[in-house]
Amino acid sequence: MGRKELGLLGLVVLIAAVTSAINPQFLSAVNIMNMANLIGLFGIFSIGQGLVIITGGIDLAVGSMLALLGVVFLDLVANREVAWPLAAAVVLAGGLLMGLAHGLLVARIGLQPFVVTLCGLLIYRGAARYYTGDSTISLGFAEDVDTITWLAAGRTLGVPHSFIALLVVAVLVGILLHRSVFGRYLYAVGRNEEATRYAGIRTGVVVAGAYVLAGLLAGLSTILLVFYTSSVSPSSFGNFYELYAIAAAVLGGCSLRGGEGTVPGIVLGTVLLQMLQNLVNILGIPSSLNFAVMGGVILLGVLADRHLAQRRAARIRMPAGAAPAE
């Protein structure tokens, strides 16, 4: 872990200590496992968002992707009696294709990531509402889904499978990001895409790859979230989840300028957000203020990132042997 991650870990421990002092129930097994479940559910697509941000992009369509993929998955399993492995494969493939479409529009056409994914947000949400006639679709009494229900929403030794899935995804993506050539290219593109292109690296493929991975992780998150909620309302399912993912990534050390961020940091950012929301509930603050808390967290993270960037720039400009100003 780097200094950012260690500092974030220290903040997590501090908030846990303060929260447990306010209400000892915070450290109860039930509360911890419930938080672990939510951390797993939200952490997976937050990692995908982090990969996109590292390239200097952003993905505003995550929540709407979850809604569209969610209604498709439930329709296939509950209404059309499609075998769950095939339905799950359709959802994962759908997420991958959505990510590929975003990546091609950004990398090949040259559109701004904000514009592309904002359009995706509107298109996918509208498609989800049209697909179901703007009505909620539920799992109901779907047959032969016991196995995937246990895989998605069950527990092993008390640990939620969603949290275990997050750990597996974090390890795999961490290896890809921090131990592979593709990972080094992601950072290079985020720091200076033009220089990376002049170095002979196919930056378009790298950027598109980040969006494809983000889409695939969104598909996996959809399956887990569907079995957590047991139903999908196309007008509200996944609302503002893209902001949650951005907040987790920024808190975890991903710079919105690109070129910075780690998988452990994103996971810790997700943990911190869930702990803050838990603290809000413990203090009796209205849940309607959750988004205000999230917005404040994003703002603080961006301000901290800007401050660190200015300090780094000042050190670079400092003449050799000069002492930093007090």
Side-chain angles (χ1 to χ4, degrees), residues 48-133:
Q49 180 75 252
L51 293 176
V52 171
I53 290 176
I54 287 172
T55 66
I58 199 165
D59 189 351
L60 300 177
V62 173
S64 296
M65 290 170 65
L66 296 175
L68 179 56
L69 293 173
V71 296
V72 169
F73 181 75
L74 282 181
D75 181 55
L76 291 176
V77 171
N79 297 337
R80 304 182 188 276
E81 299 182 352
V82 175
W84 70 260
L86 179 57
V90 168
V91 168
L92 294 175
L96 189 149
L97 289 174
M98 290 178 187
L100 179 61
H102 297 164
L104 291 178
L105 288 171
V106 171
R108 286 294 185 90
I109 309 298
L111 300 180
Q112 290 295 320
F114 181 91
V115 174
V116 170
T117 56
L118 177 61
C119 293
L121 180 153
L122 299 172
I123 292 169
Y124 303 145
R125 182 69 64 183
R129 298 179 70 171
Y130 177 79
Y131 188 90
T132 63

Side-chain angles (χ1 to χ4, degrees), residues 213-288:
L213 287 173
L216 185 62
L217 293 178
L220 176 58
S221 295
T222 298
I223 297 171
L224 296 174
L225 283 162
V226 161
F227 285 94
Y228 174 70
T229 60
S230 297
S231 65
V232 173
S233 173
S235 62
S236 61
F237 187 81
N239 269 353
F240 299 106
Y241 281 16
E242 58 278 349
L243 300 184
Y244 188 103
I246 293 169
V250 170
L251 274 178
C254 292
S255 171
L256 292 175
R257 296 184 305 274
E260 296 181 26
T262 64
V263 172
I266 298 169
V267 173
L268 286 171
T270 306
V271 172
L272 181 56
L273 276 180
Q274 283 301 332
M275 290 179 63
L276 289 173
Q277 291 195 342
N278 198 264
L279 177 61
V280 166
N281 294 331
I282 287 175
L283 293 177
I285 298 173
S287 59
S288 56

Side-chain angles (χ1 to χ4, degrees), residues 147-158:
T147 299
I148 191 172
T149 300
W150 179 79
L151 288 173
R155 300 188 177 194
T156 297
L157 299 177

Side-chain angles (χ1 to χ4, degrees), residues 1 19 63 96 197 229 260 280 297 316 318:
M1 283 190 180
T19 308
L96 189 149
R197 186 184 302 112
T229 60
E260 296 181 26
V280 166
V297 166
I316 293 173
M318 190 181 299

